[in-house]
Amino acid sequence: MSPHSRIDRSLSGDAPWLFLSPHLDDAVLSCGALMEAQARGREVIAATLFTEASPGPHTRAARSFLGQCAVKDAGELFDARKAEDMSVLADMGIRSIHLGAVDALFRQRKVPKFGSGAWDRLLPEITHRYPTYRFDIALGRIAGGDRPLITQLRIDVAALMGLTGAELLFCPVGVGRHVDHLITREAGMSQRDSLVLYSDFPYDLTAEPDGTRLAQWGYVPWSWDQGLAAKPPRIRQYATQADALFPSGEIPVKPETYFVPAF
């Protein structure tokens, strides 16, 4: 770790920090210890990008996800998750913002009228941008139809940086290759002068970041290991998700990993 890294320099001050969270729990999962520690001395803002579902019929992958959650109706689930997120972050002294984009599991693509109707009800995968999880959402390939979404999110993030006066912007590095995590990273890449990347937990329990890409960007690891014992109880506060994320009941405790420019 460089003693002159971007985070080290900012730690000596009290300027606001902005964390981009793909979903309604990711920022706390990956960065909760650092966020809570810093919220005692500076404004910390968590902006979640993908905070909505679309109406049914849902794909098999989406139905499987809903079956794992404490709330089975998609609309009710996302309402519960937003309330959950605001409550957890308020407890941590962190400001929450929800940007309202549709989660990848529920994101639909435009189809011609002849491609809709009864077939969609029988096979919802026809109208969804990412019809499966393993072969679409977790494949690491952003659909062309999401490029306008990325453009809009970049505009939104730039506006948030201006409105909050944030000195640092934290984005997921994309461990696990979930498409929403990659889109969140893309949304922040235009803010390279302020950008810090974070390792995606719990994906990083079984996968590694793209070291080649990080080297090309000139980013090196930076670690935070303070206050980790308080993190599992915070994660447990996301009651709609915790059991599905950690079916064994145990939430591993590990230092948080960040990536900063090597200068």
Side-chain angles (χ1 to χ4, degrees):
M1 171 176 84
S2 166
H4 305 295
S5 74
R6 186 168 287 172
I7 298 182
D8 287 310
R9 292 194 299 272
S10 188
L11 281 170
S12 64
D14 60 1
W17 285 3
L18 173 61
F19 289 77
L20 294 189
S21 183
H23 304 113
L24 293 154
D25 57 11
D26 283 316
V28 172
L29 282 164
S30 299
C31 311
L34 178 62
M35 292 169 69
E36 189 156 11
Q38 291 304 302
R40 300 185 189 110
R42 72 175 77 237
E43 184 180 23
V44 175
I45 307 103
T48 306
L49 277 63
F50 299 97
T51 60
E52 302 293 337
S54 62
H58 301 306
T59 64
R60 181 177 180 179
R63 295 196 303 272
S64 176
F65 166 72
L66 291 170
Q68 298 171 28
C69 296
V71 180
K72 308 304 180 185
D73 177 82
E76 292 178 10
L77 172 63
F78 276 78
D79 286 344
R81 292 187 69 183
K82 284 181 283 190
E84 210 170 53
D85 186 57
M86 288 187 289
S87 176
V88 176
L89 293 171
D91 284 351
M92 296 170 68
I94 294 166
R95 177 182 167 195
S96 60
I97 297 172
H98 297 155
L99 294 185
V102 175
D103 186 291
L105 270 172
F106 302 92
R107 204 142 65 239
Q108 295 179 332
R109 59 187 177 88
K110 293 182 179 179
V111 295
K113 289 184 179 180
F114 64 79
S116 60
W119 280 109
D120 297 352
R121 292 189 289 274
L122 291 171
L123 189 65
E125 283 76 5
I126 290 173
T127 58
H128 284 71
R129 190 155 288 153
Y130 302 98
T132 70
Y133 187 88
R134 181 179 175 186
F135 298 108
D136 291 296
I137 289 173
L139 193 63
R141 184 177 61 220
I142 298 172
D146 273 343
R147 292 295 166 186
L149 171 63
I150 293 173
T151 298
Q152 181 58 54
L153 289 172
R154 284 176 174 161
I155 294 169
D156 294 341
V157 170
L160 280 176
M161 290 293 286
L163 288 170
T164 62
E167 182 174 60
L168 295 182
L169 174 67
F170 293 76
C171 295
V173 72
V175 178
R177 302 194 301 173
H178 189 298
V179 68
D180 284 347
H181 288 235
L182 299 181
I183 288 173
T184 303
R185 186 185 73 196
E186 289 296 311
M189 287 299 288
S190 61
Q191 307 293 317
R192 288 291 292 272
D193 288 345
S194 307
L195 187 65
V196 173
L197 298 171
Y198 62 78
S199 184
D200 314 58
F201 179 82
Y203 293 104
D204 60 7
L205 293 173
T206 56
E208 297 287 337
D210 187 338
T212 300
R213 178 165 293 184
L214 286 167
Q216 291 172 345
W217 292 339
Y219 275 56
V220 296
W222 186 95
S223 183
W224 180 264
D225 60 4
Q226 300 176 36
L228 295 175
K231 194 170 171 181
R234 290 299 187 201
I235 294 172
R236 279 278 165 217
Q237 287 181 262
Y238 287 97
T240 62
Q241 304 299 299
D243 288 341
L245 286 169
F246 304 99
S248 71
E250 179 182 355
I251 300 175
V253 175
K254 67 189 294 286
E256 296 172 352
T257 301
Y258 301 84
F259 302 92
V260 295
F263 57 82

